[in-house]
Amino acid sequence: MPTSGHFEPEPQQLFNPIYKMSPLKGIKVIELAGLAPGPFAGLLLADYGASVLRIDRPKSISGDQLTRNKSSITLDLRDETSLNILLRLLTTADVLIDPFRPGVLERLGLSPTEVLLKHNPRLIVARMTGFRRDGKYKDMAGHDINYIAISGVLSMLGRAGEKPHAPGNILGDFAGGGAVCFQGILLALISRSHTGRGQVVEANMVDGSAYLATFPRLGRNTTAWSEPRGENLLDGGCPYYDTYETKDVGRYFAVGALEPQFYAALVRGLGFEIGELPKREDREQWPVLREIFKKRFKEKTRGEWEAIFDGTDACATPVFEQAELEGDGYEQRPMVHLVSTPAAPIPADQGGWSGGGLLPGDGGVDTLREWVGWEQGKDFEVRKDGAFVVINGKSKI
């Protein structure tokens, strides 16, 4: 038996279904409908067992693909009888995801500190913005490219001698935005387990993406990141950390053979001897070495290179495209596996390749019944425009 004072299950108990419960089961999350980062934070919470209710606007047509394991109700937040439903739900909720620009919640009469936390001290209000809430850009509109530009991250991305290259909206919206907001929510939940109180979580994509770039930021005075954009070890400057087109046009191979032993395996696979090639440590010879690799990779198809490098330590792998992965039956998995309390499995019919499908109002009636015991026609009704409204104003907090 453990003597630390903490309960630890015996190994055989881990096979009991109780230990397969999702880690966030019982956590109630209200997600105000938004774009990209807010819904992604909600998706992560939903995948790990939280009950996530999206609040849609009347007559809205949602293109949101990040709706797996969520439900929805439609509320007119400018109508008191509809707003009161949100207020009632927030008295029992654990988390509110606010994706709006600064000041929107306050104008709706939903100030986190002046209203929400006073009525529900355990509530965690996660506020997701693009720019910092206290910076010079706080009142400006922006998108992923603007946030990573301000953070300093965009300046590091792109080929040598070329303009900075924005890598889709992965770094700002999702990595520095939704995923960071998700982490903030988890930290606040941990804090609440000690203090009994919720709090406001303020996440923004400028700080989130800048934090992700901690390694190159701190490495500017090292050999790895001391050169201009596109001329460093890990940003396309190094010939043995790059991608190469193969014989079949448009199909590429990725090479990351940084360590000497891995580089040696790469050279062997390419059919060379180390002594035949320029010294890999000589940066002045990197352009020559790149041309040698470029020419050699063009001699075989991607499949042929796979046959050579699969199972080796050459750090050489094919660059798969999304359509290929989908066609081959690749299934997306949750981003981390918890052995005893795993995430909810991604539906087999989706496999990570389809999303959306959650229409405004889907599952909302059941969620109101589960969360607060309300019944349609008795406690609330649905207007012609889809908005849920309370009957007799009895939902006020």
Side-chain angles (χ1 to χ4, degrees), residues 353-397:
W353 297 108
S354 62
L358 180 68
L359 299 175
D362 280 358
V365 172
D366 291 336
T367 301
L368 285 177
R369 183 184 302 115
E370 294 169 6
W371 283 26
V372 293
W374 282 7
E375 296 293 341
Q376 186 174 2
K378 177 183 176 183
D379 302 290
F380 68 94
E381 59 187 5
V382 181
R383 295 188 326 205
K384 290 183 179 180
D385 63 0
F388 287 46
V389 294
V390 69
I391 297 175
N392 299 323
K394 63 176 65 177
S395 69
K396 287 187 177 181
I397 58 176

Side-chain angles (χ1 to χ4, degrees), residues 26-86:
I27 298 296
K28 299 175 182 177
V29 180
I30 294 177
E31 175 194 310
L32 300 178
L35 297 174
F40 187 55
L43 177 70
L44 289 166
L45 292 164
D47 278 351
Y48 283 89
S51 175
V52 178
L53 176 64
R54 187 181 72 189
I55 307 299
D56 284 297
R57 299 179 180 89
K59 298 182 179 180
S60 63
I61 300 175
S62 176
D64 186 8
Q65 298 293 302
L66 305 171
T67 61
R68 188 170 58 232
N69 298 319
K70 299 179 185 179
S71 59
S72 164
I73 61 173
T74 299
L75 296 179
D76 182 356
L77 299 183
R78 298 178 182 178
D79 182 300
E80 185 177 3
T81 61
S82 191
L83 177 63
N84 282 342
I85 292 181
L86 176 60

Side-chain angles (χ1 to χ4, degrees), residues 184-351:
I185 292 168
L186 296 183
L187 291 172
L189 286 170
I190 293 171
S191 176
R192 193 181 71 174
S193 71
H194 302 306
T195 67
R197 300 186 67 83
Q199 61 181 296
V200 177
V201 174
E202 294 186 349
N204 72 78
M205 288 170 258
V206 172
D207 289 333
S209 56
Y211 206 90
L212 290 170
T214 295
F215 178 66
R217 182 188 300 272
L218 298 181
R220 287 178 301 148
N221 295 319
T222 69
T223 56
W225 288 100
S226 60
E227 302 299 323
R229 175 177 61 250
E231 298 180 19
N232 295 286
L233 188 66
L234 303 177
D235 65 358
C238 175
Y240 43 93
Y241 198 91
D242 204 349
T243 59
Y244 293 93
E245 189 175 34
T246 60
K247 187 176 182 179
D248 36 354
V249 178
R251 297 294 176 91
Y252 291 82
F253 231 74
V255 171
L258 295 176
E259 292 79 3
Q261 68 273 28
F262 301 153
Y263 180 77
L266 172 68
V267 169
R268 286 195 301 272
L270 290 173
F272 294 114
E273 296 291 336
I274 292 287
E276 298 178 63
L277 302 176
K279 291 185 177 180
R280 72 187 201 111
E281 298 83 3
D282 187 352
R283 284 178 176 259
E284 293 186 359
Q285 292 297 312
W286 278 4
V288 177
L289 189 56
R290 175 175 280 105
E291 286 302 314
I292 293 172
F293 288 170
K294 182 178 179 180
K295 182 178 179 181
R296 181 54 56 94
F297 270 107
K298 279 287 219 175
E299 294 177 2
K300 299 181 186 295
T301 66
R302 196 186 68 182
E304 290 173 326
W305 287 121
E306 283 186 74
I308 290 172
F309 287 115
D310 280 1
T312 74
D313 281 345
C315 300
T317 55
V319 178
F320 290 126
E321 297 179 3
Q322 296 296 318
E324 291 182 86
L325 291 172
E326 182 178 11
D328 289 343
Y330 175 88
E331 295 184 0
Q332 182 185 15
R333 297 176 179 176
M335 64 177 185
V336 63
H337 179 61
L338 303 180
V339 175
S340 301
T341 56
I346 295 175
D349 61 336
Q350 295 183 20

